[in-house]
């Protein structure tokens, strides 16, 4: 990498906040090919392609309903195993990410997707391989927790204050393009078929293996400089004891994040009804593939649209936050009022797996595929807004790793519950109503958090995890005016922010 010249001095909190009263270090960005490679957008694009090849293709497979199979039971049980291990592991994924580094964490995370798709290929060849699929789902849950925590930390850390919505939108568009490509492959191969062929699974498997390689070529986050010249705060690597304690301290120092937990919990719950209880239940193979394609295409549109709003410079950040919340609230009711008029006309008993399903040329298909498009828009807007809100709360990658760890863990706990309800054949209407109620509850609980916690600028105090007095670590919230904010170095030692400068693991005295 080209030499980096420091143009300024002072403590760099990792924030590009123009409203900050603290002088921050400004570095000269490299030029030429090196400058392109180390550009934050380039790295976010590469990060997007990692998830294009892994989670994107997983979404394409899942979006087909029942993983492309006729009976949804095995797929539902595999998702229960997946999201259960995801929920348990994601609480500690931030710690593992800080210990191993983002690139290695991403590489480990991608491997589980290849195994999972390979398991479905095995079951397509040997129908009694269901246990292998469920076991692969459990392993993927652990891997997914690693991948998404590293992804969230990097995506939010590389952006300046005014770019977070844009970066989330770019990432989400590329990531969902993976599902679009996967759905296109499925549609092309199964347009004249009544069952999913092995070729669909083989194509998915090859692409996921390519995704395993991409993290090896990504830039070292410690060498990254944002577009405004501020250096990215690299993840710290304290002892496991200190890092586990950091999870608890994140809750103590930022208790408002608890109000986002219902929003996190609902954010994957709706997939069960959309994929298995709507797409798989009502449509034949050809229609399922086409529905899958337009669902993920609409996600690209939704993520870019809401990202543009959340980064709109003419509107204050608080106003953008409330605008995003309002759009989500309206979308939840539009989608679910519309869906209710379809759901009330069918049950599990009325459409068994062997029933003749709706085709793309059948009457009534147009309205139903339009509903699926709106489901995709809602999903993308929900996920993008959740990430944006977390990014508005801090710029520190280690703290964001904890936030995203909580997000993915609680999200997965909700998904595990929804998939289990489907596996034990709870009524479609019950799962549908629970989806609607949980989405509304998530927004209701998030509203006071947005009001009290989202500010027009991220302050330096929002970057710190701890407040220390003597040898006692306590919450910065309760005693902020009496005690000084501290930051932690690699060994778990604390330093007053007024005495340090620089970023990442290094802690230096001011010049």
């Amino acid at each position: 990498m080209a030499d980096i010249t420091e143009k300024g001095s002072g403590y760099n909190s990792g924030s590009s906040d123009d409203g900050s009263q603290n002088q921050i270090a400004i570095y000269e960005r490299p030029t030429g090919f090196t400058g392109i490679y180390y550009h934050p957008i380039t790295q976010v694009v590469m990060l997007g392609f990692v998830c294009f090849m892994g989670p994107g293709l997983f979404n394409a497979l899942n979006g087909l309903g029942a993983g492309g199979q006729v009976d949804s039971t095995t797929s539902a049980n595999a998702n229960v195993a997946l999201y259960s291990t995801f929920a348990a592991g994601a609480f500690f994924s931030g710690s593992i990410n800080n210990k191993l580094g983002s690139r290695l964490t991403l590489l480990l995370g991608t491997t589980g997707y290849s195994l999972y798709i390979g398991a479905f290929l095995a079951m397509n060849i040997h129908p009694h391989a269901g246990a292998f699929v469920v076991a692969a789902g459990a392993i993927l849950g652990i891997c997914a927790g690693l991948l998404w925590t590293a992804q969230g930390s990097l995506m939010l850390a590389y952006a300046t204050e005014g770019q977070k919505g844009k970066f989330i939108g770019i990432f989400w568009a590329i990531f969902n393009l993976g599902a679009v490509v996967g759905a296109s492959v499925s549609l092309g191969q199964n347009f004249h078929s009544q069952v999913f062929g092995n070729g669909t699974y083989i194509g998915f498997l090859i692409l996921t293996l390519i995704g395993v390689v991409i993290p090896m070529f990504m830039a070292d986050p410690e060498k990254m400089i944002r577009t405004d010249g501020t250096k990215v705060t690299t993840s710290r690597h304290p002892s496991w004891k200190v890092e586990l304690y950091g999870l608890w301290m994140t809750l103590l120092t930022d208790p408002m994040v608890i109000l986002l937990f219902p929003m996190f919990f609902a954010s994957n719950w709706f997939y069960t009804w959309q994929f298995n209880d709507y797409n798989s239940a009502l449509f034949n193979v050809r229609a399922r593939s086409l529905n899958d394609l337009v669902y993920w295409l609409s996600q690209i549109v939704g993520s870019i649209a809401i990202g543009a709003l959340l980064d709109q410079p003419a509107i204050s950040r608080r106003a953008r936050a409330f605008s995003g919340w309002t759009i989500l609230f309206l979308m939840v009711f539009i989608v679910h009022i519309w869906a209710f008029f379809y759901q009330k006309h069918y049950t599990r008993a009325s459409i068994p797996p062997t029933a003749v399903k709706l085709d793309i040329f059948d009457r009534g298909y147009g309205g139903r595929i339009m509903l699926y498009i709106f489901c995709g828009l809602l999903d993308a807007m929900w996920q993008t807004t959740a990430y944006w809100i977390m990014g508005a709360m801090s710029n520190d990658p280690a703290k964001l790793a904890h936030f995203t760890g909580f997000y993915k863990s609680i999200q997965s706990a909700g998904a595990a519950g929804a998939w289990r309800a489907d596996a034990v054949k709870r009524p479609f209407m019950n799962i549908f109503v629970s989806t609607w109620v949980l989405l509304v509850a998530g927004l209701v609980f998030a509203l006071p958090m947005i009001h009290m916690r989202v500010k027009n600028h991220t302050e330096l105090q929002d970057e710190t995890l701890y407040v220390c007095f003597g040898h006692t670590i306590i919450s910065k919230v309760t005693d902020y005016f009496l005690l000084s904010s501290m930051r932690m170095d690699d060994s778990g030692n604390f330093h007053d922010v007024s005495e340090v400068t620089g970023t990442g693991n290094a802690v230096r005295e001011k010049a």
Side-chain angles (χ1 to χ4, degrees):
M1 178 178 177
D3 292 337
I4 299 170
T5 304
E6 185 176 343
K7 292 185 174 180
S9 62
Y11 178 73
N12 180 3
S13 71
S15 171
S16 60
D17 174 21
D18 294 333
S20 173
Q21 300 301 314
N22 300 276
Q23 186 182 11
I24 58 177
I26 302 298
Y27 298 82
E28 183 178 344
R29 286 190 42 76
T31 57
F33 175 79
T34 303
I36 295 173
Y37 174 69
Y38 282 98
H39 196 285
I41 290 182
T42 303
Q43 294 302 309
V44 169
V45 168
M46 294 181 72
L47 184 63
F49 276 104
V50 171
C51 293
F52 174 110
M53 300 296 183
L57 294 172
F58 166 84
N59 282 344
L61 185 66
N62 237 20
L64 292 169
Q69 303 296 307
V70 175
D71 186 5
S72 65
T73 304
T74 299
S75 171
N77 283 326
N79 278 306
V80 172
L82 189 162
Y83 288 108
S84 296
T85 55
F86 197 163
F91 272 109
F92 307 101
S93 295
S95 304
I96 295 172
N97 176 68
N98 288 345
K99 188 72 174 180
L100 300 181
S102 298
R103 288 185 298 176
L104 180 56
T105 303
L106 281 172
L107 189 150
L108 293 174
T110 55
T111 57
Y113 293 91
S114 299
L115 176 64
Y116 186 75
I117 291 175
F120 270 96
L121 173 61
M123 191 172 76
N124 216 44
I125 299 172
H126 303 287
H128 299 294
F132 178 35
V133 175
V134 174
I139 294 171
L140 175 56
I142 297 172
C143 293
L146 296 175
L147 181 142
W148 282 110
T149 298
Q151 174 270 335
S153 177
L154 290 177
M155 179 179 67
L156 296 175
Y158 286 166
T160 64
E161 291 279 353
Q163 294 176 329
K164 286 182 176 176
K166 176 183 177 181
F167 277 35
I168 295 170
I170 291 172
F171 167 81
W172 209 258
I174 297 171
F175 156 52
N176 283 319
L177 195 60
V180 170
V181 170
S184 300
V185 170
S186 175
L187 179 62
Q189 291 196 338
N190 300 295
F191 192 81
H192 298 293
S193 175
Q194 295 301 313
V195 295
F196 286 92
N198 292 336
T200 303
Y201 295 108
I202 292 172
F204 283 15
L205 180 59
I206 292 172
L207 290 173
T208 57
L209 289 172
I210 294 174
V212 174
V213 179
I214 296 177
M216 302 178 188
F217 297 95
M218 293 181 67
D220 184 348
E222 294 187 3
K223 299 179 180 179
M224 290 296 299
I225 301 174
R226 298 186 184 95
T227 56
D228 63 355
T230 58
K231 196 171 183 181
V232 171
T233 310
T234 56
S235 298
R236 299 179 293 274
H237 306 280
S239 68
W240 287 101
K241 181 179 179 181
V242 171
E243 193 60 31
L244 290 174
Y245 192 64
L247 290 170
W248 171 243
M249 290 306 300
T250 299
L251 290 177
L252 289 181
T253 59
D254 236 321
M256 288 297 171
V257 75
I258 295 174
L259 291 175
L260 291 179
F261 285 3
M263 188 179 189
F264 296 169
F265 188 82
S267 61
N268 268 12
W269 185 280
F270 47 73
Y271 286 147
T272 301
W273 183 83
Q274 292 175 2
F275 296 162
N276 276 17
D277 302 344
Y278 182 73
N279 195 27
S280 178
L282 291 181
F283 304 97
N284 65 13
V285 168
R286 175 164 55 189
R288 284 161 65 181
S289 297
L290 180 57
N291 293 348
D292 197 28
L293 175 61
V294 298
Y295 181 92
W296 299 113
L297 279 171
S298 67
Q299 291 239 358
I300 295 175
V301 175
S303 63
I304 293 175
I306 198 70
L309 170 66
L310 295 173
D311 274 348
Q312 182 55 246
I315 309 173
S316 71
R317 187 157 72 170
R318 283 178 59 81
R320 283 176 266 154
F322 287 115
S323 298
W325 184 95
T326 302
I327 290 173
L328 288 182
F329 190 83
L330 292 174
M331 283 292 293
V332 166
F333 277 90
I334 290 171
V335 166
H336 289 86
I337 290 174
W338 188 353
F340 174 77
F341 287 99
Y342 293 140
Q343 178 59 81
K344 69 179 183 178
H345 292 299
Y346 69 94
T347 65
R348 289 189 188 274
S350 68
I351 47 169
T354 55
V356 177
K357 306 293 182 70
L358 194 69
D359 187 55
I360 60 176
F361 299 112
D362 290 343
R363 182 180 179 181
Y365 176 73
R368 287 170 172 81
I369 193 174
M370 284 301 300
L371 170 62
Y372 214 53
I373 289 172
F374 271 75
C375 287
L377 290 171
L378 173 59
D379 180 19
M381 291 178 176
W382 189 281
Q383 313 294 347
T384 302
T385 303
Y387 273 115
W388 184 88
I389 290 172
M390 288 186 285
M393 296 171 70
S394 178
N395 290 317
D396 179 52
K399 189 171 186 178
L400 289 171
H402 291 315
F403 283 168
T404 54
F406 282 129
Y407 172 55
K408 301 307 293 186
S409 181
I410 294 168
Q411 176 188 70
S412 300
W419 286 111
R420 183 57 185 165
D422 191 60
V424 299
K425 309 301 182 184
R426 300 300 300 168
F428 288 152
M429 183 61 79
N430 290 17
I431 296 175
F432 171 77
V433 171
S434 69
T435 298
W436 193 349
V437 169
L438 285 171
L439 287 170
V440 173
L443 290 174
V444 169
F445 277 96
L447 187 58
M449 194 291 304
I450 293 173
H451 174 70
M452 292 183 284
R453 187 63 179 77
V454 175
K455 306 171 184 176
N456 285 327
H457 302 284
T458 301
E459 302 297 337
L460 178 60
Q461 291 83 359
D462 297 328
E463 302 290 346
T464 58
L465 282 177
Y466 309 96
V467 164
C468 183
F469 184 75
H471 298 288
T472 304
I473 304 171
I474 64 174
S475 168
K476 69 173 177 145
V477 176
T478 56
D479 293 274
Y480 175 74
F481 294 105
L482 297 177
L483 307 175
S484 57
S485 298
M486 313 297 285
R487 293 202 85 164
M488 181 173 60
D489 65 16
D490 298 351
S491 303
N493 299 316
F494 295 91
H495 305 265
D496 192 290
V497 294
S498 64
E499 299 175 355
V500 296
T501 186
T503 61
N505 297 334
V507 178
R508 309 191 301 269
E509 291 187 0
K510 279 189 176 180

